[in-house]
Amino acid sequence: MRTHQQVLEALKEIAEARTKKEKERLQTFWGLTGKKSYIFHFPGADFVSSTPFDFMHMMLTNNTKNYTKILQGKFKTFDSDDFVLPAAVWTEIGNEIVAANRTIPAAFVSYLPDIWKERSSYTAELYSFWIVYAAPILLHQRLPSPYYEHLVKFGTIIKYCLKLTITTEELEELEEMCISWVEEYERLYYRYDPSRLPFCTSNIHGMLHIPDDIRISGPLWTAWAFVMERICSLTVRAVKSRLNPFGSLNQYFKRIAQLSHIRNKYNLSSHLEPDNLDTQDGGEDNDLTSSAAPAAKLSRFEEQVTGYPTTILRAPRQKEWVPNKPTRTKIAKYFVIPYSLNSWSEIMPHLPHTVQRWCKFRIDGGDSVRGSEAMKGEQQQLRDSSFVRFELLSSSGKRLVLYGQFHYAIVVTLRPVNTRNVCIPVKRTWILGYITPYKTGNVDATEALASFTDRDQQTSQFFDIRTIQAVVGRIKTRGRWYIVDRSEGCARTVFVDDETPPIAGGGREDISYPS
């Protein structure tokens, strides 16, 4: 890797070139324009360590874009290689990704256009989602094996680059992946043929510098261009006059400064933030209260339950919902193991006649889940946020990763009971989620492809809502649904008991529940 002094010497050599032809030759040789950046006038500035590669432009709008064009046969003139998929296949992929917008939560990504017909509409954000989550699903068993594995490794590299924090061990893994990926890229696409040299772009080479950039400057988010691009986008929208654009910009930034000054002078930060306009300080005089987790900010449409510090229930709510007999039976079955009952019928007389039913909830610091019961009428046009990842524990201590559709949550308050068959020592409020699990073979979708068909639906059942880890998306291709799980690094349920109710639809499997 070049040093700061080598760059200065190269610039000097270019500046001292005697002819235009010699100057152009040196510019090509060194990869420099010959213009000395203003950064060199700052004390302590280093050309190498002060100017890391920009992740957004290098990896997303260049490498990912070109990678996609290569597989589509639209890169330069290379359109007949064995890695180029037929137009009919890309048409099918384009239709599938457009259809997937309905089943991918809006929090994951904005609207995904047809990757085949509308690739020019793809931004860095869309390319990121495409290469990390969509492409491994849609190109599975379509792209020949060596090329597919190479593509999946590229998506893994992107995941490492997106980390907010990265350990020394992870950085070493990233460096090994970048080196092996570039070597494989040259073998698969360049093939050491000079006529195929256009495949070897400078941005492909730039991937080798990513680990060094992280070592020098920290995680890539510290220097990427997303923030500046966001500011540029806001700035462009602020221009209201073509005749006098700078007047519009001056007014826009002056108002931002004024609002910031008012916020700081009168200590109004908590009042002028959009997310805090509807905050409330307390709850009703029952087991619903916001004091269980003071850090959580609640709107007037939200409530918390004591003992569930990270679960925030959200409207719509039915305050006195009467479960039918089959539903009451399922509620009773949930409490068999927590209260060491011989039969679910023993607790039936002690269940409340009415319960609160909530159709939405959010995990404090995590995802928002919209139950299927909230997706009715006009709400059916919304993007589906009802599928969730939830985890249970088998009697052997094995963590079970399950996926299913969340319908609604109920708040059940059990009062103290001490009879021959039932002992509830203290009053306790439970939040139970009604979920329809699907058979996915206990595959963790953050590590491998997890899929199911409509026939893999199991019996709906109640689970403690704390077992829900995150909301997930789905992409349907060739008759199967594939899970899009971006929950890497999220907190996991802590299990403390040895048993809990059987898993619905798959035989009896003793699992433990969170206390």
Side-chain angles (χ1 to χ4, degrees):
M1 190 168 67
R2 293 183 191 175
T3 64
H4 181 72
Q5 186 60 36
Q6 288 174 330
V7 173
L8 291 177
E9 292 173 357
L11 290 173
K12 182 180 179 181
E13 186 179 355
I14 294 172
E16 293 176 350
R18 294 185 177 183
T19 64
K20 181 179 180 182
K21 186 175 181 179
E22 176 67 10
K23 183 177 181 179
E24 291 175 349
R25 186 189 69 80
L26 290 172
Q27 287 175 334
T28 302
F29 179 79
W30 290 111
L32 299 168
T33 63
K35 296 180 181 180
K36 194 172 182 179
S37 172
Y38 285 106
I39 194 174
F40 291 105
H41 298 288
F42 291 96
D46 185 286
F47 182 84
V48 176
S49 61
S50 301
T51 55
F53 281 91
D54 173 48
F55 165 79
M56 189 194 85
H57 289 98
M58 180 179 75
M59 292 296 286
L60 300 180
T61 59
N62 277 283
N63 282 346
T64 303
K65 176 183 176 180
N66 288 336
Y67 203 175
T68 305
K69 291 171 67 176
I70 287 171
L71 301 179
Q72 292 180 342
K74 295 184 178 181
F75 181 77
K76 307 296 183 181
T77 58
F78 304 98
D79 57 359
S80 58
D81 288 288
D82 57 338
F83 50 77
V84 176
L85 298 180
V89 174
W90 278 109
T91 299
E92 187 177 354
I93 291 172
N95 293 334
E96 289 171 346
I97 200 167
V98 170
N101 281 292
R102 175 68 179 79
T103 52
I104 296 175
F108 282 28
V109 67
S110 56
Y111 180 83
L112 289 159
D114 187 327
I115 190 69
W116 174 242
K117 297 179 181 178
E118 302 175 77
R119 180 173 40 78
S120 60
S121 301
Y122 269 63
T123 61
E125 175 209 9
L126 299 179
Y127 272 125
S128 175
F129 186 88
W130 156 253
I131 201 68
V132 173
Y133 297 109
I137 292 173
L138 296 173
L139 296 180
H140 179 56
Q141 295 182 342
R142 280 171 166 156
L143 194 63
S145 179
Y147 303 105
Y148 176 78
E149 281 130 18
H150 189 248
L151 177 137
V152 171
K153 182 182 286 188
F154 185 77
T156 304
I157 292 173
I158 296 288
K159 286 185 180 181
Y160 273 70
C161 292
L162 291 173
K163 286 178 176 287
L164 295 179
T165 60
I166 187 167
T167 65
T168 303
E169 293 76 13
E170 290 172 335
L171 186 56
E172 296 298 327
E173 292 175 9
L174 175 61
E175 186 167 39
E176 291 178 5
M177 280 193 292
C178 287
I179 293 173
S180 64
W181 188 89
V182 172
E183 290 176 346
E184 291 170 14
Y185 178 88
E186 292 175 350
R187 179 175 59 84
L188 293 173
Y189 298 99
Y190 168 46
R191 298 175 181 175
Y192 314 107
D193 180 354
S195 67
R196 302 174 68 87
L197 194 59
F199 281 106
C200 299
T201 64
S202 60
N203 286 301
I204 293 295
H205 170 78
M207 291 178 61
L208 300 174
H209 293 274
I210 290 176
D212 288 323
D213 286 343
I214 295 176
R215 289 188 181 98
I216 295 170
S217 305
L220 295 181
W221 64 264
T222 61
W224 63 29
F226 282 105
V227 178
M228 182 54 67
E229 293 290 343
R230 175 68 173 172
I231 293 175
C232 290
S233 176
L234 294 174
T235 301
V236 169
R237 289 200 292 257
V239 177
K240 304 298 181 183
S241 171
R242 293 187 178 183
L243 182 63
N244 187 20
F246 295 105
S248 298
L249 291 177
N250 291 340
Q251 287 295 319
Y252 177 72
F253 286 107
K254 184 180 77 171
R255 289 166 183 167
I256 290 178
Q258 287 173 335
L259 187 61
S260 177
H261 181 70
I262 293 170
R263 181 190 294 115
N264 293 328
K265 182 176 180 179
Y266 297 103
N267 194 26
L268 297 175
S269 296
S270 61
H271 298 280
L272 294 181
E273 294 294 336
D275 292 339
N276 300 337
L277 296 180
D278 291 327
T279 55
Q280 63 179 22
D281 296 323
E284 298 179 10
D285 186 19
N286 54 19
D287 285 316
L288 295 173
T289 173
S290 62
S291 61
K297 297 176 181 178
L298 307 182
S299 77
R300 58 194 177 94
F301 302 107
E302 299 177 332
E303 290 183 5
Q304 273 185 294
V305 173
T306 301
Y308 291 81
T310 60
T311 301
I312 301 169
L313 301 170
R314 310 177 71 187
R317 175 188 71 167
Q318 288 178 267
K319 195 169 184 178
E320 295 183 350
W321 181 62
V322 181
N324 58 29
K325 187 174 180 179
T327 302
R328 284 178 62 84
T329 300
K330 290 183 178 182
I331 296 173
K333 286 181 177 180
Y334 173 82
F335 291 113
V336 170
I337 299 301
Y339 289 110
S340 302
L341 305 176
N342 295 318
S343 170
W344 56 266
S345 60
E346 295 174 346
I347 200 172
M348 281 286 278
H350 307 290
L351 294 179
H353 179 67
T354 63
V355 296
Q356 290 192 24
R357 186 172 81 152
W358 299 75
C359 292
K360 302 178 186 177
F361 78 96
R362 64 182 174 92
I363 303 169
D364 189 26
D367 291 330
S368 296
V369 183
R370 183 192 298 114
S372 64
E373 289 296 310
M375 303 282 290
K376 295 183 176 180
E378 296 181 357
Q379 299 290 317
Q380 290 181 346
Q381 304 302 317
L382 298 176
R383 296 172 70 170
D384 192 346
S385 298
S386 65
F387 266 73
V388 296
R389 170 196 176 111
F390 61 109
E391 297 182 2
L392 306 172
L393 200 68
S394 69
S395 56
S396 61
K398 181 181 178 182
R399 186 178 292 270
L400 306 176
V401 178
L402 303 174
Y403 296 95
Q405 186 173 34
F406 170 81
H407 301 289
Y408 57 83
I410 60 173
V411 179
V412 182
T413 300
L414 298 180
R415 303 195 177 277
V417 174
N418 189 6
T419 65
R420 179 180 178 182
N421 297 321
V422 179
C423 179
I424 304 176
V426 295
K427 177 183 176 182
R428 179 168 178 180
T429 299
W430 299 74
I431 305 181
L432 306 181
Y434 193 52
I435 302 175
T436 301
Y438 285 81
K439 295 179 182 178
T440 56
N442 193 34
V443 175
D444 187 339
T446 64
E447 300 175 354
L449 293 181
S451 66
F452 64 90
T453 66
D454 293 334
R455 293 182 179 181
D456 292 325
Q457 177 178 322
Q458 297 180 278
T459 305
S460 301
Q461 176 175 331
F462 285 98
F463 298 88
D464 191 295
I465 204 166
R466 288 170 295 182
T467 61
I468 296 177
Q469 302 295 309
V471 68
V472 300
R474 293 167 293 145
I475 296 177
K476 191 173 186 179
T477 175
R478 291 155 286 176
R480 294 192 69 86
W481 290 100
Y482 286 81
I483 299 294
V484 177
D485 187 348
R486 56 168 198 170
S487 65
E488 300 100 321
C490 74
R492 297 292 180 226
T493 304
V494 177
F495 299 98
V496 296
D497 279 296
D498 297 327
E499 297 180 317
T500 165
I503 297 175
R508 187 171 182 85
E509 184 71 65
D510 285 334
I511 52 179
S512 63
Y513 64 93
S515 66

